[in-house]
Structures are given as C-alpha cells and as structure tokens.
Amino acid sequence: MGSTREMIEAYHVAWNERDAQERRRLLRHCWSEEAAMVTPGTGVVAGVEAVNDTIGSLHQHWPGDRAITSGVDEHHGLLRYSWQIVDDDGAQLVDGVAFGELASDGRLQRIVDFYDSIPGTE
C-alpha cells in the first residue's frame, strides 16, 4: 500500500476534499473495508461510504473548514497524531489527537479522535 504517513495524508486530503467522487477514491486508497472512525461529534462511522457521507455532510454545515495534521507516531500497527480544524481565515476551531490502528495491508483500520480544546469553551 504505502507508508503510514501516506495513509494519514490521504485520509486528511479526503477530509478536505469537497468532491464526493474524489473523496471516495482517496478513502478507498487509505481505508480498509472494515474500518471505522470514532469521533466525539459523530460517534462510530464504519465503511468507506459512511465515512464519505459523513465528511460530505460536515462540509455542507461548515463550508471552508479544513483539517491540518501533525507528524505521525507509529509502532506495532498503532498510531497517533495531532490535528486541527481551521476556518477559511486559518483561525483554529477545534484541535485534538487521533489514535489509530492499521489493517494487515497497511491501510487504516480504526481512527479514534479526541478533542484537546474547543475555543470559547474553556
């Protein structure tokens, strides 16, 4: 497949992609068929189509927002990285950390997000 960093980059390019077909292509590249993402806002979302639909729905509610990620720390098929969601002007909306697991083929099996802070809620 590719490196873990490549899988995370494809996943977050998909998060920033507005076109559903291109987003689906990216997700199929980096996301195993049985994969699931778990976020505080959406709960458990499993499978490429469900993830694609969830991302599309979020783009409708918050057009212009985009995801930014840090480097990836990985060992034994497990990973973690930091992320931020920013608006059109680059202002931080929310940040957090993701923990994940890789499938045997190197694609993402599970991503679990946690919020670090939400501006205005401290």
Side-chain angles (χ1 to χ4, degrees):
M1 281 275 113
S3 71
T4 299
R5 180 65 195 173
E6 180 186 333
M7 296 298 107
I8 294 300
E9 285 177 3
Y11 178 54
H12 279 272
V13 169
W15 266 96
N16 293 328
E17 178 59 54
R18 296 325 195 233
D19 179 74
Q21 294 290 18
E22 178 60 12
R23 193 170 53 240
R24 182 178 293 109
R25 185 192 68 75
L26 288 161
L27 289 169
R28 285 187 178 144
H29 171 70
C30 67
W31 207 242
S32 74
E33 291 304 316
E34 310 81 33
M37 69 175 193
V38 185
T39 69
T42 58
V44 178
V45 179
V48 168
E49 290 305 317
V51 172
N52 190 27
D53 292 345
T54 298
I55 295 170
S57 177
L58 293 172
H59 284 306
Q60 288 178 355
H61 290 310
W62 294 286
D65 292 0
R66 65 187 189 284
I68 301 170
T69 62
S70 69
V72 178
D73 186 19
E74 178 207 350
H75 65 86
H76 298 93
L78 303 171
L79 60 97
R80 72 175 175 157
Y81 61 91
S82 298
W83 53 266
Q84 288 185 342
I85 304 296
V86 298
D87 67 14
D88 303 14
D89 298 324
Q92 176 187 326
L93 301 173
V94 64
D95 67 328
V97 63
F99 297 91
E101 181 179 3
L102 299 173
S104 60
D105 66 2
R107 292 187 295 168
L108 301 172
Q109 179 68 35
R110 180 177 321 278
I111 296 291
V112 181
D113 288 323
F114 290 87
Y115 296 145
D116 280 342
S117 65
I118 303 170
T121 61
E122 290 83 27

